[in-house]
Every structure is written in C-alpha cells, then in structure tokens.
C-alpha cells in the first residue's frame, strides 16, 4: 500500500505544481519582455534627465533626498544621488540600457545591474514614483530570481510567487478602478482615465487618436 501511495502522491504534486510550471522558453520570453520594458523606460526618461535627475533641474538632491548623515544607506544604494550632473545621469541611464540588453540575451548579472539601477532611479525622485514603477521593480526581481527550469518545464518558489504577484496586481488594479470615486474607468465617465494616460508619448497619442472618446471608455 505504501508503494501504491507514492505514485499517487507524485501525481498530486505534479497536478498542484502544473499551474506554476515554467518552461525554458517561457523564462526566456519573460526576461526578454522585462528587458524591453527597461529599455523603453530608459528611452522615455532620457529627455527629462536634466529636469528631474540633476541639481540644476526641478528636483535637486538637497530638496528630495534625506540628509546623508541621517540616512547614509539611501545615499549608498542610490547611485543617482552620488553626483548631480547631467553627464552622470546620462551615464547611469546608458548603463541601465546596456544592462537591459544583457538581460535580453540571458545574462543574469546584467539583470541584477538593471534591477539596482531602476531602484536607484526611483530613490532619486521619490515624489514621482507611482505604481507602475513598483511593478517594474517586482518584474525585474523575478527576472533575476527565476531559476532556469528543466527542459520539460518545472515550478519553483519564484514561479509560484510570480503567479501570486500577477494575480495580486490585477486584483489590486481592478479593485481600484471599481472603487474610483471619480468613476473615471466607467462607461459614463465625464473624462475617461485613459484620456489622461494616453497623451504623454507619441505611441500613446496615436492610440488615443485611433480609439476616440468611445474607445477610451
């Protein structure tokens, strides 16, 4: 009876882990899409570096960062706080883009670098950090921590946590839309939420023009 129970337990374990299994192809595609997100984010930030990441812009270090004596850890982790020049901000952004290219081709160490530089960029401008920045931070963490699965696919603690995180993201986003006091995500919204979001980049403006008012709602 003990021998008969072992295949049953093994089958049950495979059944429970199947929804969280990741194949090598899926892991590669996941890392590549995260790398492309980092590249797009770095490219969109490039023109604003002078105004948001230098001491001569709208958010100089002395106004948005804690005193180094009070919080030395923040200054140690935030590479963007080490210097206030435009050249330094551009160099870090270019390095982050290079790390994203490395992650695209499977270099886990490059993923760690891209993850750290994203965290650093967020710490440099705390008033401007929103939920999408946090999502990218989590996706980079999983891109780094997700182990290489066996050829036939397999689950891991990282793949389980990734699945839980994705469910939590959609649940949180959906709940926030339903509870929005302005009802900006409803069909009867005076001004649709997407009408505001889809105005900041050329692709967004193209989608805005294509969808029109009814499509945005």
């Amino acid at each position: 009876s003990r021998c008969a129970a072992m295949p049953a337990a093994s089958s049950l374990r495979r059944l429970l882990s199947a929804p969280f299994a990741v194949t090598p192809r899926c892991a590669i595609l996941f890392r590549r899409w995260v790398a492309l997100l980092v590249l797009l984010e770095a490219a969109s930030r490039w023109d604003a570096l002078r105004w948001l990441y230098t001491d001569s812009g709208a958010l100089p270090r002395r106004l948005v960062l804690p005193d180094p004596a009070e919080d030395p850890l923040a200054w140690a982790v935030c590479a963007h706080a080490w210097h206030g020049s435009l050249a330094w901000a551009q160099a870090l952004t270019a390095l982050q883009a290079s790390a994203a290219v490395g992650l695209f081709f499977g270099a886990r160490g490059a993923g760690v670098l891209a993850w750290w530089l994203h965290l650093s960029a967020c710490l440099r401008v705390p008033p401007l950090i929103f939920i999408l920045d946090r999502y990218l931070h989590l996706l980079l963490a999983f891109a780094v921590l997700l182990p290489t699965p066996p050829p036939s696919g397999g689950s891991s603690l990282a793949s389980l946590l990734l699945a839980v995180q994705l469910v939590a993201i959609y649940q949180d986003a959906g709940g926030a839309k339903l509870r929005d006091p302005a009802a900006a995500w409803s069909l009867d919204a005076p001004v649709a939420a997407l009408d505001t979001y889809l105005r900041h980049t050329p692709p967004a403006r193209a989608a805005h023009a294509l969808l029109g008012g009814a499509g945005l709602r």
Side-chain angles (χ1 to χ4, degrees):
S1 59
R2 183 178 179 183
C3 293
M6 291 178 63
S10 178
S11 299
L12 179 61
R13 188 164 53 250
R14 286 196 300 270
L15 180 64
L16 293 175
S17 64
F20 312 108
V22 176
T23 65
R25 182 173 179 271
C26 286
I28 290 171
L29 289 175
F30 173 69
R31 291 191 177 99
R32 287 185 171 179
W33 277 110
V34 172
L36 289 174
L37 281 176
V38 174
L39 282 170
L40 288 172
E41 196 271 340
S44 67
R45 192 169 6 110
W46 187 266
D47 289 339
L49 291 177
R50 178 184 297 278
W51 313 114
L52 301 180
Y53 290 87
T54 71
D55 287 344
S56 60
L59 298 172
R61 291 175 295 168
R62 69 181 184 279
L63 293 183
V64 296
L65 295 176
D67 187 277
E70 296 178 0
D71 195 350
L73 180 59
W75 284 75
V77 173
C78 182
H80 290 74
W82 297 351
H83 203 279
S85 69
L86 176 61
W88 180 248
Q90 290 175 332
L92 290 177
T93 304
L95 181 61
Q96 185 181 18
S98 300
V101 173
L103 176 62
F104 185 91
F105 290 105
R108 198 180 296 266
V112 174
L113 179 58
W115 184 17
W116 169 52
L117 289 174
H118 175 72
L119 172 63
S120 173
C122 291
L123 290 174
R124 175 61 180 82
V125 288
L128 303 181
I129 301 309
F130 295 98
I131 191 65
L132 296 180
D133 299 290
R134 299 187 183 101
Y135 288 166
L136 182 54
H137 174 73
L138 291 170
L139 291 175
L140 276 166
F142 285 117
V144 170
L145 298 175
L146 197 66
T148 301
S152 59
S155 59
S156 65
L157 178 60
S159 65
L160 171 62
L161 292 176
L162 175 59
V164 171
Q165 181 63 58
L166 291 174
V167 171
I169 286 174
Y170 281 103
Q171 183 179 25
D172 178 64
K177 291 176 175 62
L178 291 173
R179 297 189 302 270
D180 180 18
W185 295 94
S186 68
L187 292 175
D188 300 323
V191 179
L194 287 179
D195 185 83
T196 302
Y197 289 147
L198 296 180
R199 290 181 180 272
H200 303 297
T201 64
R205 287 192 290 271
H208 186 285
L210 181 65
L211 290 171
L216 290 171
R217 288 172 173 78

